[in-house]
Amino acid sequence: MVALSGPDAMRICVTGHRGYVGAILLPLLQRRGHWVLGIDTGLFAECAVPGPSPSPQPDRSLCRDIRDVGAADLEDIDAVVHLAGLSNDPLGDLDPALTAGINGDAAAALAAAARRAGVGRFVFASTCSVYGAAGDDVVNEATPPRPVTPYAAAKLAAETAILQLAADAFTPILLRFATAYGYSPMLRFDLVANNMTAHAIASGRVLLKSTGTQWRPLIHVADMADALVAALDAPRQAVHAQTVNVGSDDDNVRIADLAELVAAAIPGAGVERMTGAEPDRRSYRVSFARVAQILPDFRPCWTIAKGVADLHGRIVGLGLPTCDFEGARFNRLPHLLRQRAAGRVTGDLRPASTARPT
Ligand SMILES: NC(=O)c1ccc[n+]([C@@H]2O[C@H](COP(=O)([O-])OP(=O)(O)OC[C@H]3O[C@@H](n4cnc5c(N)ncnc54)[C@H](O)[C@@H]3O)[C@@H](O)[C@H]2O)c1
């Protein structure tokens, strides 16, 4: 048994620790004295930004598909943070049955395995996109979710199954996150604010790819990691079997307004509307009143203006070639399609090197 570094230190399993959010969360947990088991198949292992320092490593790393994780893998673990999965709508649309299997069934099976293993807390990274096509009305946790994409439907299915596992010794917490933005060493440009920022750097213009009338809440990736920590730290009775929207009321924006905000944060940038842009039916304007009650220690620190300016400075500082902005390196779906075409990833999205024999 590894010695823990303080009375509040835990043994935490983070799935998806090699992704955009995990790369921020992992060092944060370790700095707080926690021991971390990371489980991830490394689908985006080549997608890190170039840098002099090696990426942070968990105390123990398991290259295992979440569809294959069992209770034995989670022995002696106090809490699980479940991030692994297909992380946006374009990935989810690739094969809806696969999406339901990974983001829905496997998440539920992982939670069941955690409960069997005696894990006390299970923090699930869900999404505000479960609200679907909610129009202009403000939705909250009491609003019936109406997902309109396979990604969101699978997340909702997982939520329902995971909540049913709540027990005296097993506390699930469902965090419905706003759309993330901001810098992570596992950078993604397929997130709307990051994409707008990258496009503005490449062309001097923020490209509005839809009509922009849809509502979307945003959260900085560092605030997302802070919320996950707060969910781990909160007293059991405060978070037991709770579903909470995580974001900030101030960062609920229409996408056209986001484009203006991003342009204002980048010197000399303007907004360009893509010709023939269509409306996006995914629209949700979300209340974040509840998170302040359930996780009082969580306070979003970032604003869109500050986060975009920071991201802009870092991208320019890294000197990333503009071909990377829309290419496979920092965009999840094109990267996986390329990996699959090259035979490095199987049809069911397992790295070929770890695929089970048929
Ligand atoms: N980024 C956002 O805007 C956002 C918003 C709301 C919710 N979320 C959720 O947060 C989580 C993390 O998002 P992210 O942006 O870091 O995603 P990401 O795509 O950057 O990282 C996902 C990680 O999971 C791993 N993974 C994928 N499928 C796996 C499998 N079957 N077995 C083992 N590992 C697997 C990948 O290798 C990758 O390292 C996701 O569940 C996502 O749905 C993200």
Side-chain angles (χ1 to χ4, degrees), residues 101-300:
I102 296 172
N103 286 9
D105 301 342
L110 180 76
R115 190 173 108 153
R116 283 198 306 280
V119 171
R121 194 166 288 203
F122 190 91
V123 183
F124 178 54
S126 190
T127 164
C128 285
S129 69
V130 296
Y131 295 113
D136 287 346
D137 294 338
V138 177
V139 295
N140 63 29
E141 292 84 349
T143 308
R146 290 198 186 84
V148 294
T149 62
Y151 167 73
K155 287 284 189 182
L156 182 61
E159 282 191 5
T160 307
I162 292 168
L163 268 193
Q164 283 169 4
L165 295 167
D168 286 350
F170 185 72
T171 289
I173 307 142
L174 312 177
L175 302 182
R176 288 181 178 161
F177 284 106
T179 300
Y181 71 98
Y183 178 78
S184 156
M186 292 300 294
L187 200 49
R188 292 179 54 185
F189 288 136
D190 52 8
L191 297 164
V192 61
N194 291 3
N195 184 273
M196 287 177 171
T197 304
H199 202 276
I201 292 169
S203 68
R205 294 181 307 279
V206 171
L207 185 63
L208 191 53
K209 295 180 176 175
S210 63
T211 51
T213 52
Q214 72 276 26
W215 287 93
R216 186 65 55 83
L218 296 186
I219 183 169
H220 194 278
V221 62
D223 284 334
M224 204 168 161
D226 282 350
L228 291 161
V229 169
L232 289 165
D233 286 350
R236 175 185 179 276
Q237 66 275 15
V239 294
H240 183 73
Q242 294 295 326
T243 303
V244 193
N245 299 329
V246 181
S248 153
D249 288 332
D250 292 341
D251 290 339
N252 248 322
V253 290
R254 287 189 192 270
I255 292 297
D257 295 333
L258 174 65
E260 296 294 345
L261 278 169
V262 172
I266 299 178
V271 176
E272 177 189 348
R273 287 176 180 266
M274 198 162 89
T275 35
E278 306 225 334
D280 186 339
R281 66 192 175 128
R282 300 167 303 163
S283 178
Y284 36 96
R285 185 182 185 187
V286 178
S287 165
F288 296 101
R290 193 155 190 269
V291 68
Q293 296 158 10
I294 303 283
L295 300 176
D297 289 345
F298 166 65
R299 291 261 186 287

Side-chain angles (χ1 to χ4, degrees), residues 19-21 40 43 65-66 83 87 126 151 155 178 180 188 332:
Y20 173 72
V21 178
D40 195 310
L43 292 174
D65 196 289
I66 52 160
L83 301 174
S87 55
S126 190
Y151 167 73
K155 287 284 189 182
R188 292 179 54 185
R332 296 299 188 237

